Structure formats: C-alpha cells, structure tokens
Amino acid sequence: MRIAIGADHGGFPLNERVIEELRGAGHELIDFGTHDGSLPDDYPDYAKQVGEAVQNGAADIGLLICGSGVGAAVAANKLRGIRAALCGDTYSAHQSREHDDCNVLCLGARVVGVELALEIVRAFVAARFTGEERHRRRLAKVKAMEENF
Ligand code: RB5
C-alpha cells in the first residue's frame, strides 16, 4: 500500500517508529517529515501535504501525527474528499475504514503510547471499507454536506 505520512514537532519521534513499522511491513511511504522535533513547525502544513497526496492519488491512505492528533484531524478534514479519523483505540481504527471509508488516520503522540499507536496503525491499514448500502448512504450524505462548502 502507498501511504503518505506527516508529523509536526508534537508527533515526533512517534512518526519515526511508525515509519519503521510500515516500511518493515513492505509499504511504500511518501514521508513528509518532520525528522527534527526541535523545529516550531505547524500541523496544518503536514495535513495539507498528506491530504493532497491522498486527493491526487499518489497515496492510497494518509497518516498524520501531532501532539494530540486533534489539530491534524481538524485541518485534514477541511480538504475535499478527505475523511480523517483521530483514533486512540484499535476498534475505532478499523471501524473508521470499514464503515466510514476514512482515508487518513490521525494519532496523538502525547496521548497514546508507542505500542498502542503501532497497533492502531496496523488495524487501520489492514481494514477495508465494507461497501454496505447503509454505509454508502451515510457517506453520500457526508459528501452532500461537503458539496455545500
Ligand atoms: C503542538 O504543540 C501541538 O499543538 C500540535 O502538535 C497538536 O497537538 C495540535 O492539535
């Protein structure tokens, strides 16, 4: 799978562990950094890069990490066609794909521990949208809301 990943200073160094995990599992990464947690960077810049990579098809899914995961999720969800899920548990991670067809996972590096974060990433990456009619109906309603932006 092609996965775009970005993290601000609050998401570093968890992003390094996630990158290692995903590369080890054979995924192709588009890595937007940061690799320096001492720089005062801004999460919307990473959300834009990762979201655009998903929008334009360079990546199948995206992964964003900031301190809480909240800012990254808020910013990514401003992008048309991006459905970003902030997850702190594995159930939400796989259901966000299966029911809500989410295409970006957001993590809070100051909230979840490394091992839980890696399990959340594995759950999100492995899950697929079920395509069931009730989920398509609900997603169509979300899309209709987006059309009014
Ligand atoms: C950075 O200090 C922090 O505000 C950011 O990483 C993120 O948690 C915002 O939601």
Side-chain angles (χ1 to χ4, degrees), residues 11-142:
F12 178 89
L14 177 60
N15 61 326
E16 306 289 12
R17 292 292 304 273
V18 172
I19 288 167
E20 187 185 350
E21 162 78 17
L22 291 173
R23 286 217 170 105
H27 296 289
E28 184 186 322
L29 295 194
I30 304 171
D31 177 11
F32 292 107
T34 184
H35 299 292
D36 182 350
S38 70
L39 297 175
D41 55 3
D42 302 325
Y43 63 81
D45 298 330
Y46 298 98
K48 187 167 186 290
Q49 288 175 297
V50 167
E52 285 178 350
V54 174
Q55 281 179 318
N56 68 30
D60 300 306
I61 59 170
L63 222 156
L64 285 166
I65 309 174
C66 68
S68 64
V70 174
V74 168
N77 278 313
K78 300 295 180 196
L79 299 171
R80 189 176 291 273
I82 297 302
R83 291 173 298 280
L86 170 56
C87 296
D89 64 277
T90 56
Y91 180 83
S92 304
H94 68 77
Q95 191 192 273
S96 72
R97 296 271 280 151
E98 293 159 353
H99 290 197
D100 312 321
D101 201 17
C102 283
N103 47 18
V104 173
L105 170 67
C106 301
L107 293 170
R110 296 172 184 162
V111 182
V112 293
V114 173
E115 295 306 324
L116 176 57
L118 295 177
E119 291 206 11
I120 291 169
V121 169
R122 288 184 207 116
F124 187 83
V125 168
R128 295 290 179 276
F129 180 51
T130 66
E132 290 167 282
E133 192 281 329
R134 68 184 193 282
H135 300 315
R136 290 192 182 280
R137 182 180 72 238
R138 292 160 192 163
L139 282 167
K141 292 183 180 184
V142 172

